[in-house]
Structures are given as C-alpha cells and as structure tokens.
Amino acid sequence: MNESEAYVVARNVSTRYLAILAEMAVGLIVLPFNVAHLGKEAYGLWMLTTSVTAYFSVLDLGYSGAQVRFVAHYRAKRDITALNEILSTMFCAFSVVGIVTYAVAIVIAVYLGRLFHLSDEQVRIGRVVLLVVSANVAGGTAFSVFGGVINGFQRYDLNNVVGAISSVIAAVVNVVVLLAGYGLIELVVATTAVRLLTYWVYRANAYRVFPELQIRITSFRQARLKEVTSFSVYMLAIDWANKINYSVDAVVIGMMLDTGAVALFSVGQRLAETTQRLTNQLNDVLFPNVVHNDTAARDERLRRIFLVGTRLSLATVIPLAGTLILLGGPILHAWLGKAFGLRDLNVAVVVLQILAVTVIVRVGNATACTLLKGAGHHRLLAFTNVGIAIANLSLSVALIHAFSLVGVALGTLIPVTAGSMFILFPAGCRRVGVKVRQALIESVWPAAWPAVVMVAWVELMKPWVRESLTAVGSEAIASVALYAVTFFFFGTSTPERELLYSKLANWRGALPLPTTASTVSEDA
C-alpha cells in the first residue's frame, strides 16, 4: 500500500474501532443488566429469535457483498454512468428482497412453537419479537444499497461514527425501558425504532460521499443484474456458510436443549464474537482496496496487503483473544457470578476458551480470505466455506450429546481450523506469489511469539489477581499492553516503526475529506 491508501485504511479502521468499542462497552454494561431484569429464560428467548433473523441476510442472494465489489471496480474506472446503473438495479433488487424477508419471518413466526422447545407464553412473546426484529432486517436490506456506496468508496468512517452514536442511544433506550418496568416486547420495539431511524442517516452519508448518486427505477438494467449476479452467487455461498458457522450453534442448542442453555452458551459466544469484530476491522475495510488494486493489476501491492495485513490481524487478535483464554474464568465469575450458578459458569468458561481459539484462527486467516474474495478466487473461498459450514453443523449435532455445550464449541473450532490451515491460507499465498514458509516467517511468527511474554506475565500475576472486574480488567489491560510493546519493538521492522512515527507526527496534516465529484477518481 502507498501512503494515500494507508491513510484511507487507517481512517476507516480507527473510526470503526470507535464504533466497536462503543458497542462493546455498551454490551458489557447492558448484558448483565438485561439478564437481571428480564431473567435467564426471557433473555435466552431474545437471543434465540435474534439468531433466527441472522439467517435472513442470505436472502439478498449475495448482492450486498457483490455490489461493494462492483462499486469499487467502476470507481477505479471512473465510470459514473455504470455506478448509477449498478446502484439503481441493486436498489430495486434489495426492495424485493426486503419484502420477501418479512414474508419468510411471518411464516417462521407461525410455526415457531414447532421449531423450538418453548412454552405457550414464550411462543406468543417470541412471535412478536421475531416480527419486530425482522422489520429491522428487512429495512436494513432495502437501505443496504447506500452502504454499498459508502464501502465501495472506502468511506467507512462516516457510518462508523453514526453507528457508535446509534449504539449508545439504543443502550440508553434499553435501560430506560426496563427501569420503567416494561418487558421484552417493549424493549425490542424501542431499540428497533432507533436502528430504523439510523438507516436514514446512512442514506444521507451515501449522497455526501457520491454527490452524483442517482437512484432511479428507470435506471434498472437487466444486464447489470446479470453482471452482479455472476459474482453474487459465490458471495451467497460464502454468506450462507458464514451464517451457519457463526449462528448455527444457538439454533442447534435451542432445538436439542433449551433456552437456558442458549443463554449460557451466548455468554462465551458474545465475548468471542465481540473480540472477532473488534480485531477484524482491518480486513473488512481492505476489501475495496484489494478490488481496486486487482483491477489495476498491482500485484506487488496485493502481496504487501496480504503479508502486512495477516501480521497486523494476528497482532491485534492474539492479545485480546489470548486474554479471554488465560483469564476467562476470573472474567466470567467477576462479570456474571450473580446471574449464573458456579457449575454453569465453569461450562461457559470452557466454551469461551474454545471459541477464543476459533477467533484467532478466523481473524488470522481473514486477510487471505479478503484477498481471495476480491482478487479473482472467490469460487474457491465459497466452496471451502460451504464445506466448513457443513462440517460445523454435523460435528455440533454429533458432539452435543456427548459433550453438551463444549461439544458445540468444538464442532465450530475443528472445521474452521482445518479449512484455514490446509486450504485458504495456502491459496492466499499462491495468489500473491509467496511461499507458505515465507508467509509464516514474515507474517505469523512475528505476531505469535510475543504471546509467550504475555502468558508468562499472566501466570506470574495470577496469585495476586482477585475476582473483581476492576482487578481482572487491570490485569487484562496490562497483559495486552505488554504484548503490544513486545510486538512493536521486536515484531515489526525499523522502516515500519519509522513510518508509524512519521504518520503520528504528521497526523494533523491529514488529507481533507472529499466533498465533490472528484471522489470517483483514483486515490493512488
């Protein structure tokens, strides 16, 4: 990446961290509050219905991911006409998908009692919650065309700030509703209203980024739909596979156990998923950059993106996920000791540790997946992810009888690790012309070995760490900081450190935000 690309990526990633940190802080505070006020069964019902709606996004047939690719592609070609035709066509398609999504939600709501082990009262409440949450999903589908503009133009920062503010407002509304004595239905209605209103702000941001944006039904082109579909079919397969890998666990548990078990599993799952979101933002914003450089046939830049992106991804996820592995017990006992029994918490700790290892594998391999998706190898990525998803579902069902919730977590870890190590990472190396051994030396090892220092520190300090959020939090921060210092001085090269110093020194002289038609031009 050149300096201009590095600035764009840094701007997008830094503001995305702002949004994720805000959401994470809100979640850490609100989760135990919600469990205490709603009860374990009601909270588990909420998580179960949310897991069902997580699958609805696959109804967009992969167009959400595909449109980002084509927006970035035609932006690189500076073709405004093609951009508006693509976006108008996608708006029509997404509107239809939104309607279909809500129709599917209605059908599932009717048969909710037959799908899960629920009481009559839970079925009644669950139906209302499902339909309200589905309204948010359907609305988000229709408005996702504006997200494609933001992402394709690499202006994630605008919506990142809006997302952070929306999360805080939704949390405040959450607390107010429960303190006022209302229940789950009223809570979901109020927080969903906040999310729906936020979509209109995202729409305004899209027009700010791309002033020539003209979404018209008359600009629908069947040829454009066919063009996008040729790519989206593979995005659909990837999306389906990801939904199974990330959301199938709660559904399997809900079908084979009960909502209490769903609530217990969701504790570790929520922390693991938050860690993954927090540490994978670099790869999310790299996708349009990869498409841009692939369109311009800049193989050397793709090589640097792969090597540096993998190293930075691992350096970000290892200390945070490693903290969950090393301090998972004290964290959960201090955080949720009053909400769950000791036996349940011990199970949640093991689940958290297994899922944390899974997160390290996923994030560490995420740059390779982004490269394959954006640089011509999306078919391999799609087929591999589908295979991982099938193995995940099969193993989770097979292992839940023998190992309960721990078996479900293992059913996720095993196929994800095998697919990443033996298929996707080597394929990423081949795409950029790098041997696997070289990638391990330049990208994996510099980020992996500083973890030894962190492990030694945690083991040394264990006798002095009390089971309180303040004490455990302080130990976690110290461990992450020790890893960061070790990695920065011994896991990066001198030129990289000098570049960072210069960027920090000149941060106030950063590039101005584009506000005119020049945003379609090439950044490099």
Side-chain angles (χ1 to χ4, degrees), residues 57-107:
S57 63
V58 301
L59 295 175
D60 73 354
L61 306 179
Y63 286 131
S64 294
Q67 73 165 345
V68 175
R69 191 261 182 192
F70 285 96
V71 169
H73 176 77
Y74 284 112
R75 183 195 175 205
K77 291 180 173 293
R78 310 180 189 182
D79 192 337
I80 296 177
T81 300
L83 280 170
N84 279 316
E85 289 179 351
I86 288 287
L87 294 169
S88 296
T89 301
M90 287 297 95
F91 179 76
C92 295
F94 286 138
S95 297
V96 173
V97 170
I99 295 173
V100 173
T101 295
Y102 205 73
V104 172
I106 293 174
V107 173

Side-chain angles (χ1 to χ4, degrees), residues 201-213:
V201 183
Y202 293 154
R203 177 182 180 276
N205 284 342
Y207 280 95
R208 176 184 175 185
V209 167
F210 183 25
E212 298 88 351
L213 175 61

Side-chain angles (χ1 to χ4, degrees), residues 7-8 11-12 15 154-158 161 205 208-209 509-519 523:
Y7 168 75
V8 171
R11 179 188 64 196
N12 291 332
T15 54
Q154 302 186 52
R155 290 307 312 274
Y156 295 81
D157 56 302
L158 294 178
V161 175
N205 284 342
R208 176 184 175 185
V209 167
L511 299 175
L513 298 180
T515 57
T516 65
S518 62
T519 53
D523 283 335

Side-chain angles (χ1 to χ4, degrees), residues 444-461:
V444 178
W445 176 245
W449 75 261
V452 176
V453 179
M454 184 178 71
V455 172
W457 167 263
V458 171
E459 291 299 320
L460 179 65
M461 297 301 295

Side-chain angles (χ1 to χ4, degrees), residues 267-428:
V267 172
Q269 187 179 44
R270 176 69 63 86
L271 286 175
E273 288 181 350
T274 299
T275 301
Q276 179 166 322
R277 292 187 62 198
L278 182 63
T279 57
N280 197 34
Q281 298 313 306
L282 172 63
N283 295 292
D284 287 346
V285 304
L286 278 179
F287 178 60
N289 190 279
V290 169
V291 174
H292 190 98
N293 284 305
D294 180 61
T295 301
R298 297 167 177 161
D299 290 340
E300 180 56 34
R301 289 190 184 181
L302 290 176
R303 186 176 299 110
R304 294 306 304 164
I305 288 174
F306 173 67
L307 293 174
V308 176
T310 299
R311 176 150 47 95
L312 292 180
S313 295
L314 284 169
T316 305
V317 70
I318 286 176
L320 295 183
T323 298
L324 296 180
I325 296 171
L326 298 171
L327 298 173
I331 289 174
L332 293 189
H333 283 80
W335 182 33
L336 297 172
K338 296 181 180 179
F340 294 98
L342 179 61
R343 181 178 179 181
D344 286 345
L345 277 178
N346 289 336
V347 173
V349 170
V350 179
V351 169
L352 172 61
Q353 291 170 332
I354 295 173
L355 294 180
V357 176
T358 307
V359 168
I360 293 177
V361 176
R362 281 173 170 162
V363 176
N365 195 52
T367 303
C369 294
T370 300
L371 178 74
L372 295 173
K373 182 169 64 174
H377 290 260
H378 46 279
R379 296 176 181 83
L380 173 64
L381 178 63
F383 292 138
T384 302
N385 279 4
V386 169
I388 291 173
I390 294 173
N392 183 354
L393 178 59
S394 302
L395 283 174
S396 295
V397 173
L399 296 177
I400 192 172
H401 293 291
F403 303 103
S404 189
L405 299 183
V406 174
V408 177
L410 288 173
T412 300
L413 172 63
I414 294 171
V416 168
T417 302
S420 298
M421 290 179 59
F422 299 114
I423 301 176
L424 298 178
F425 188 77

Side-chain angles (χ1 to χ4, degrees), residues 46-173:
W46 187 13
M47 294 299 101
L48 180 61
T49 53
T50 302
S51 297
V52 172
T53 61
Y55 290 93
F56 289 168
S57 63
V58 301
L59 295 175
D60 73 354
L61 306 179
Y63 286 131
S64 294
Q67 73 165 345
V68 175
R69 191 261 182 192
F70 285 96
V71 169
H73 176 77
Y74 284 112
R75 183 195 175 205
K77 291 180 173 293
R78 310 180 189 182
D79 192 337
I80 296 177
T81 300
L83 280 170
N84 279 316
E85 289 179 351
I86 288 287
L87 294 169
S88 296
T89 301
M90 287 297 95
F91 179 76
C92 295
F94 286 138
S95 297
V96 173
V97 170
I99 295 173
V100 173
T101 295
Y102 205 73
V104 172
I106 293 174
V107 173
I108 294 177
V110 171
Y111 293 98
L112 191 65
R114 299 182 182 182
L115 294 174
F116 303 104
H117 296 293
L118 302 174
S119 66
D120 291 341
E121 179 64 12
Q122 285 179 321
V123 170
R124 183 188 69 82
I125 296 175
R127 284 172 175 166
V128 177
V129 171
L130 176 61
L131 293 177
V132 172
V133 175
S134 297
N136 178 46
V137 176
T141 300
F143 276 78
S144 61
V145 65
F146 302 109
V149 175
I150 295 295
N151 298 343
F153 277 68
Q154 302 186 52
R155 290 307 312 274
Y156 295 81
D157 56 302
L158 294 178
N159 282 355
N160 289 341
V161 175
V162 174
I165 296 173
S166 176
S167 296
V168 173
I169 294 175
V172 172
V173 170

